[in-house]
Amino acid sequence: MTKTINLTLKVWRQKNAGDKGKFETCQARNISTDMSFLEMLDVVNEGLTVDGKEPIAFDHDCREGICGMCGTVVNGRAHGPEKGTTLCQLHMRHFDDGDTIAIEPWRARAFKVLKDLVVDRSALDGIIQAGGYISVNAGGAQDANNLPVPQDKADKAMDAAQCIGCGACVASCPNASAMLFAGAKISHLALLPQGRPEAAKRAWAMVKAMDALGFGNCTNERECEAECPKEISIVNIARMNREYYKAGFFSGEKN
Amino acid sequence: MQLDSKVPGGPIQDKWDKHRFDLKLVNPANKRKYKVIVVGTGLGGGAAAASLAELGYNVLNFCIQDSPRRAHSIAAQGGINAAKNYQNDGDSIWRLFYDTVKGGDFRARESNVYRLAQVSTEIIDQCVAQGVPFAREYGGLLDNRSFGGAQVSRTFYARGQTGQQLLLGAYASLSRQIAAGKVKMFSRREMLDVVTVDERARGIVVRNLVTGEIEKYAADAVVLATGGYGNVFFLSTNAMASNVTATYRAYKKGACFANPCFTQIHPTCIPVHGDYQSKLTLMSESLRNDGRVWVPREPGDKRPPNEIPESERDYYLERKYPSFGNLVPRDVASRNAKEQCDQGKGVGETGYAVYLDFADAIERDGKAVIEKKYGNLFQMYEKITAQNPYEVPMMIYPAVHYTMGGLWVDYNLMSTVPGMYVLGEANFSDHGANRLGASALMQGLADGYFVIPYTIGDFLATAGTNDVTADHPAFTESEDAVKAQATKLLSINGKRTVDDFHKELGHIMWEYCGMARNAEGLRKAQGLIQKLRAEFWENVLVPGEEKDLNQSLERAGRVADFLEFGELMVIDALHREESCGGHFREEYQTEENEAKRDDENFCYVAAWEYKGDDEAPVLNKEPLEFENVKLTQRSYK
Ligand SMILES: Cc1cc2nc3c(=O)[nH]c(=O)nc-3n(C[C@H](O)[C@H](O)[C@H](O)COP(=O)(O)OP(=O)(O)OC[C@H]3O[C@@H](n4cnc5c(N)ncnc54)[C@H](O)[C@@H]3O)c2cc1C
Ligand code: FES
């Protein structure tokens, strides 16, 4: 049933990357429980604007859980309390009247806060640029059905490929590691026959890039898996490690 | 203006091959001397930027989001068409061509559509080679599903996330070229103007969305792949940043805008439920493969769906269109839903919804099979509505989804501004008055991977490098205009927020230029838009600063353009005194309430030319000739 609730928000406000930033309190009144979390923020922002204040900056685009643009830490949890849900798909029916909600940006060494809840996640693009692709140019590909892929392999590849690159894994990891993100891409491609020729090289290059871009190491905390809105499994990290060690021991990729 | 579509001669099957042979080439060593700007990183822009860089061109690529991987294409769910005929069910290039021309209600250019069908098969090959994890059958071969407007299974898919997987494929290729130094990526940039000198596109002016600085970039050619303008309706299935700004500002610089009134209302979306709502969510059309659409037979029947017996339900699509049933094209399905609701048979709290019921499919195939096909869509539905579609039928209603109109382009995808190309949803070319499901992804990738790499070379080889740099007065002039607009928006300091204006515009457009239109309503809308626009420039409230990350200012600029563009849509809808595809003029319908075309008088592309802020736009016509598909009244019975 739809009802309306009143909430107190403690929101991280930060003018720009150079500013120190602090929590500020504001009220969210008459919030319909059918609203999404971002629609609740829209309502708050409309109010702030009319009151002559600056609205809260936050990233978002598709608002249907697929672009990976949204994401903040809500009450200490990346994308809030619901499992397998992005912030834009989190609905206010999961909150109670009178709740206080703390909202802050992703925090990680590799992600710089740009303003309020908006962070710079370009380091994730950097990991992909290091090798998260199959080296084929447009044109010249053989007929698609010349390369059968066992259904279970295709399914597993798809499970990994679903990553939306939001950065929740990094934000929830005590070491700010991007292993789940990189592991998902490495697994997606390594599971497919098309991706095998470069599998070792790819794993080696992407792991090196992660270190260089300032992401931490994996110490098996499993927070990433718990908070991933697409429920990507940490099996992918194990798979990445296998590819990485293969690259290190058996081939010349480390050079 | 004389529109020259540059369609090559000869039989339709040979046009593209012959044309590719006739196009001038840039020799491999010379390609590195050219710089190309690509605006957009969706399927059109991402594929184009990657492919042009692979060929050796230097590419500057721009997008609004923080990463090229987040372009709106990421949200496409259902699938991508290709005439592979892997199912052996009678598909062919010719049939895909035919279905698309007919689906578009004979308002697309035949030669472009044929080429699209031709290259469709290469797209699938390319994507598989990139590692796109398409759905497969047990034997390991690619699986297909059916989509509306077709009687064959030619849609390739990756669960309910086809757009995501295709875009990540293009993004991977793009990333490889960024790493190779051939593409320079500029994210969080919004293009606010195209610069032209001596009738050639010379570059663009963008706002850096983090610092607020205005930046200028010159190049030898400019490619726009900036997506559709569905957000003119405020509520649509488009991503929040989808805009008309890039194409509209190009229009103001001389690019004709074609068929702006051709918009697509998608039949299966989650119904509107409150006035705070920020966007509408699509439920993929693929659901119509297994879901059955119905309403209660009697108006006002408010019983819960499971208490309404079979005999008191009306499966109206199956009844009215026995051969296509639930798979009629989108415009037909949408109009029928509206008609049922207007008769008082709509369901749900608002009465603006119809059921999409999976009970029969679940009984026939088992829950596991349905879950495998649509699991993530069902989950998404439940997250939003808190209802379980495995147990109660989904409720759906049409919503704005796609825009067939766009910048006019010739066969080479060049606009009326030499050196400026337009790809993907941003151009008008392939879908006529109605797009069939699963063919936007196909078109974006066709344009980006397989058309622009050939056609742009011909222009560069002929026109040579651009000697106008970003210091040229034309760039400065454009920069000044862009800055002046931002300053003005911030200084008005009125009483109404940007969203407030946007919502009102959306209401006007939906009410008078939506699923059904008539002359009287359109005239009224034109007046309302003019009034709203005048008020906007006196009473909008845009907080924050210019040289800062300022999301209100970003939106204000987009809404300012929507307020002008909305009027152009209305003008176009008013002038087209016929019904075709998604453009349904109530005055022009058959006895069975289907769209009634007027081929005698309206078998043309309407390409509008900007003449100044206070002048009416000028209509240019590109006549459409149908030599291969016979002009007939569309029928899906
Ligand atoms: C929910 C949904 C589901 C869909 N499902 C399907 C489907 O199953 N099958 C199908 O075929 N089609 C589907 N479509 C349609 C299809 O997704 C789109 O038409 C297509 O992806 C558009 O691609 P594009 O490359 O033209 O533009 P987009 O993907 O919209 O990309 C636009 C790009 O331009 C950039 N941009 C825009 N404006 C500016 C500016 N001013 N300055 C700088 N950059 C700018 C953006 O940042 C972005 O990178 C669906 C659409 C929606 C909304
Ligand atoms: S806004 Fe796209 S995932 Fe949330």
Side-chain angles (χ1 to χ4, degrees):
Chain A
M1 265 306 286
T2 309
K3 49 176 191 181
T4 55
I5 54 177
N6 295 313
L7 305 158
T8 302
L9 308 183
K10 294 205 179 307
V11 190
W12 185 260
R13 302 302 303 259
Q14 181 173 335
K15 180 96 190 84
N16 52 42
D19 182 29
K20 250 178 69 195
K22 59 173 190 309
F23 281 103
E24 278 176 21
T25 304
C26 62
Q27 303 302 322
R29 279 188 238 282
N30 295 320
I31 300 300
S32 156
T33 49
D34 276 345
M35 283 184 197
S36 70
F37 199 87
L38 300 188
E39 284 167 346
M40 181 275 290
L41 287 180
D42 289 341
V43 170
V44 170
N45 274 345
E46 288 288 285
L48 288 172
T49 305
V50 172
D51 289 347
K53 302 199 182 103
E54 240 197 282
I56 304 157
F58 64 94
D59 264 334
H60 62 98
D61 199 24
C62 73
R63 297 205 172 189
E64 46 190 70
I66 192 75
C67 73
M69 187 100 180
C70 70
T72 68
V73 174
V74 175
N75 289 340
R77 297 192 55 188
H79 290 297
E82 282 295 291
K83 216 178 142 34
T85 305
T86 55
L87 196 64
C88 57
Q89 293 289 82
L90 174 67
H91 281 73
M92 298 313 291
R93 59 183 85 95
H94 302 292
F95 295 89
D96 292 318
D97 191 34
D99 277 359
T100 297
I101 307 178
I103 310 172
E104 52 188 319
W106 289 165
R107 296 193 192 277
R109 189 153 75 94
F111 297 164
K112 186 172 68 179
V113 176
L114 298 175
K115 182 170 185 163
D116 299 343
L117 305 171
V118 177
V119 299
D120 177 1
R121 285 169 289 196
S122 50
L124 293 178
D125 291 319
I127 298 176
I128 300 295
Q129 284 156 20
Y133 45 75
I134 292 174
S135 301
V136 287
N137 288 352
Q142 63 170 351
D143 185 87
N145 259 353
N146 281 349
L147 187 74
V149 180
Q151 201 184 45
D152 64 318
K153 280 266 174 18
D155 276 346
K156 281 201 186 110
M158 181 65 200
D159 288 342
Q162 294 190 75
C163 167
I164 57 173
C166 63
C169 48
V170 179
S172 51
C173 173
N175 310 319
S177 163
M179 291 281 185
L180 191 63
F181 172 80
K185 185 46 67 187
I186 288 169
S187 293
H188 155 213
L189 296 175
L191 280 160
L192 296 171
Q194 307 89 299
R196 286 311 310 167
E198 294 171 284
K201 183 172 172 214
R202 176 182 306 120
W204 188 263
M206 289 175 72
V207 170
K208 290 284 150 226
M210 262 192 299
D211 290 344
L213 290 161
F215 292 100
N217 241 313
C218 174
T219 49
N220 270 314
E221 311 286 335
R222 310 184 72 141
E223 295 290 337
C224 54
E225 183 187 58
E227 302 293 26
C228 172
K230 297 292 139 179
E231 304 184 295
I232 308 257
S233 157
I234 54 161
V235 169
N236 292 301
I237 298 183
R239 213 178 273 122
M240 167 175 73
N241 287 335
R242 276 203 300 280
E243 296 295 339
Y244 178 74
Y245 288 120
K246 265 193 260 174
F249 289 130
F250 303 122
S251 70
E253 302 306 348
K254 58 183 161 189
N255 300 318
Chain B
M1 178 180 305
Q2 198 57 39
L3 297 171
D4 179 2
S5 62
K6 302 222 172 72
V7 174
I12 198 154
Q13 304 89 312
D14 303 334
K15 281 184 199 290
W16 180 231
D17 279 348
K18 178 167 177 307
H19 190 61
R20 280 194 296 179
F21 179 72
D22 291 340
L23 288 171
K24 288 209 187 78
L25 299 175
V26 178
N27 96 41
N30 277 343
K31 289 201 177 85
R32 74 174 80 96
K33 293 189 192 148
Y34 289 102
K35 205 193 279 175
V36 180
I37 284 174
V38 178
V39 189
T41 59
L43 292 181
S51 310
L52 293 172
E54 286 162 7
L55 287 172
Y57 295 111
N58 300 304
V59 177
L60 308 182
N61 194 191
F62 298 81
C63 71
I64 291 184
Q65 293 78 8
D66 69 329
S67 161
R69 66 180 289 156
R70 306 199 204 284
H72 165 61
S73 294
I74 199 99
Q77 302 170 349
I80 176 166
N81 286 332
K84 282 285 196 187
N85 193 31
Y86 283 159
Q87 305 305 325
N88 199 26
D89 58 356
D91 201 9
S92 62
I93 289 172
W94 195 270
R95 187 178 295 279
L96 176 53
F97 160 65
Y98 173 85
D99 286 350
T100 308
V101 169
K102 176 183 167 198
D105 216 356
F106 303 92
R107 290 295 174 261
R109 195 189 283 148
E110 267 193 345
S111 55
N112 286 53
V113 178
Y114 193 87
R115 174 177 65 192
L116 177 65
Q118 260 175 320
V119 302
S120 69
T121 58
E122 287 172 72
I123 295 171
I124 302 304
D125 301 342
Q126 166 67 11
C127 295
V128 166
Q130 281 172 336
V132 170
F134 282 122
R136 301 207 169 239
E137 294 168 347
Y138 285 116
L141 299 182
L142 290 160
D143 193 20
N144 290 114
R145 52 168 58 143
S146 312
F147 251 61
Q151 287 172 312
V152 293
S153 261
R154 63 160 76 97
T155 305
F156 294 79
Y157 65 103
R159 293 196 192 143
Q161 294 113 293
T162 315
Q164 179 196 30
Q165 295 309 315
L166 296 174
L167 184 62
L168 292 182
Y171 163 76
S173 291
L174 180 63
S175 297
R176 177 169 159 246
Q177 295 304 318
I178 295 173
K182 292 306 289 180
V183 175
K184 213 163 157 356
M185 187 65 226
F186 299 88
S187 52
R188 293 201 196 266
R189 300 295 201 293
E190 180 160 19
M191 180 198 126
L192 296 178
D193 206 5
V194 192
V195 179
T196 58
V197 177
D198 296 337
E199 303 206 341
R200 174 174 173 183
R202 307 288 178 158
I204 59 171
V205 172
V206 306
R207 181 165 180 272
N208 180 324
L209 300 180
V210 178
T211 63
E213 295 293 339
I214 303 299
E215 303 167 349
K216 301 173 285 184
Y217 300 92
D220 302 305
V222 173
V223 178
L224 299 187
T226 51
Y229 49 83
N231 279 349
V232 66
F233 290 90
F234 185 71
L235 283 182
S236 85
T237 62
N238 287 9
M240 305 299 284
S242 298
N243 64 82
V244 78
T245 291
T247 48
Y248 190 72
R249 299 203 181 176
Y251 159 75
K252 285 186 151 184
K253 285 296 179 77
C256 284
F257 212 112
N259 303 332
C261 81
F262 288 174
T263 49
Q264 177 162 80
I265 315 274
H266 193 291
T268 52
C269 302
I270 299 180
V272 178
H273 51 79
D275 52 10
Y276 49 79
Q277 205 165 340
S278 58
K279 78 159 288 188
L280 296 172
T281 304
L282 175 81
M283 289 283 105
S284 169
E285 166 169 300
S286 61
L287 292 168
R288 287 198 276 143
N289 266 302
D290 287 295
R292 299 179 68 196
V293 177
W294 65 274
V295 291
R297 211 169 268 285
E298 287 306 315
D301 185 343
K302 288 285 164 207
R303 286 175 291 176
N306 54 355
E307 285 174 23
I308 303 181
E310 275 300 308
S311 60
E312 290 170 45
R313 300 176 176 191
D314 183 8
Y315 295 89
Y316 57 89
L317 290 177
E318 296 171 23
R319 172 172 59 79
K320 290 173 70 176
Y321 309 95
S323 57
F324 279 72
N326 293 296
L327 286 175
V328 290
R330 292 177 174 174
D331 54 333
V332 179
S334 292
R335 255 191 320 271
N336 274 280
K338 178 177 189 295
E339 192 179 289
Q340 296 298 325
C341 295
D342 289 346
Q343 289 170 14
K345 298 181 190 170
V347 300
E349 267 175 44
T350 59
Y352 282 97
V354 300
Y355 290 124
L356 179 64
D357 198 336
F358 291 89
D360 288 347
I362 291 172
E363 196 173 305
R364 183 184 67 225
D365 299 337
K367 188 178 163 196
V369 170
I370 296 301
E371 191 170 346
K372 198 163 158 50
K373 280 195 195 163
Y374 310 113
N376 72 313
L377 296 173
F378 278 40
Q379 200 187 19
M380 182 151 88
Y381 182 85
E382 186 168 359
K383 273 196 183 132
I384 296 175
T385 62
Q387 288 191 335
N388 179 353
Y390 293 102
E391 281 158 19
V392 287
M394 278 186 184
M395 281 192 274
I396 53 163
Y397 197 67
V400 175
H401 176 61
Y402 182 88
T403 51
M404 283 76 68
L407 293 181
W408 185 90
V409 288
D410 64 15
Y411 189 69
N412 296 321
L413 304 183
M414 188 151 91
S415 68
T416 49
V417 174
M420 187 169 85
Y421 291 80
V422 191
L423 318 184
E425 192 171 340
N427 75 24
F428 87 104
S429 75
D430 297 358
H431 307 294
N434 172 59
R435 175 175 71 78
L436 291 182
S439 54
L441 301 183
M442 169 170 74
Q443 184 223 332
L445 291 179
D447 290 359
Y449 287 136
F450 298 114
V451 180
I452 192 75
Y454 295 94
T455 58
I456 208 167
D458 186 62
F459 170 78
L460 294 172
T462 315
T465 49
N466 164 26
D467 48 8
V468 171
T469 65
D471 307 324
H472 189 278
F475 274 91
T476 319
E477 199 180 300
S478 158
E479 179 187 15
D480 291 346
V482 162
K483 281 187 182 157
Q485 193 197 39
T487 314
K488 167 89 179 140
L489 285 167
L490 288 164
S491 68
I492 297 168
N493 219 352
K495 297 227 155 34
R496 291 179 67 183
T497 63
V498 174
D499 271 15
D500 200 22
F501 281 101
H502 195 175
K503 275 183 198 173
E504 188 173 337
L505 174 67
H507 278 300
I508 299 172
M509 299 306 294
W510 179 250
E511 198 53 38
Y512 303 108
C513 198
M515 247 184 296
R517 304 143 177 201
N518 60 54
E520 193 191 340
L522 288 164
R523 275 194 209 99
K524 180 161 176 203
Q526 192 173 6
L528 290 172
I529 296 168
Q530 288 168 351
K531 227 174 95 208
L532 188 65
R533 188 166 65 227
E535 189 194 336
F536 177 85
W537 286 105
E538 312 236 295
N539 195 25
V540 71
L541 172 57
V542 186
E545 293 156 27
E546 200 174 322
K547 293 236 168 103
D548 191 8
L549 195 163
N550 185 341
Q551 295 172 325
S552 308
L553 180 60
E554 291 167 28
R555 283 204 302 276
R558 291 173 204 149
V559 172
D561 290 330
F562 280 137
L563 281 165
E564 292 184 19
F565 176 73
E567 188 176 351
L568 184 65
M569 274 175 75
V570 166
I571 292 173
D572 186 41
L574 195 56
H575 114 281
R576 192 169 277 280
E577 293 177 335
E578 65 162 350
S579 294
C580 55
H583 170 64
F584 191 73
R585 280 282 298 263
E586 285 165 347
E587 305 96 312
Y588 312 101
Q589 43 182 310
T590 65
E591 272 162 26
E592 290 150 323
N593 305 101
E594 304 291 350
K596 191 168 163 200
R597 289 196 324 265
D598 176 355
D599 293 330
E600 194 85 8
N601 296 302
F602 289 96
C603 196
Y604 61 77
V605 178
W608 297 92
E609 186 183 346
Y610 177 78
K611 286 288 177 192
D613 280 341
D614 304 316
E615 305 286 321
V618 168
L619 172 65
N620 299 286
K621 298 178 184 176
E622 179 198 339
L624 292 169
E625 279 147 41
F626 292 88
E627 292 167 356
N628 299 280
V629 184
K630 213 170 123 236
L631 272 166
T632 48
Q633 170 71 37
R634 256 184 349 164
S635 166
Y636 290 94
K637 294 218 179 284

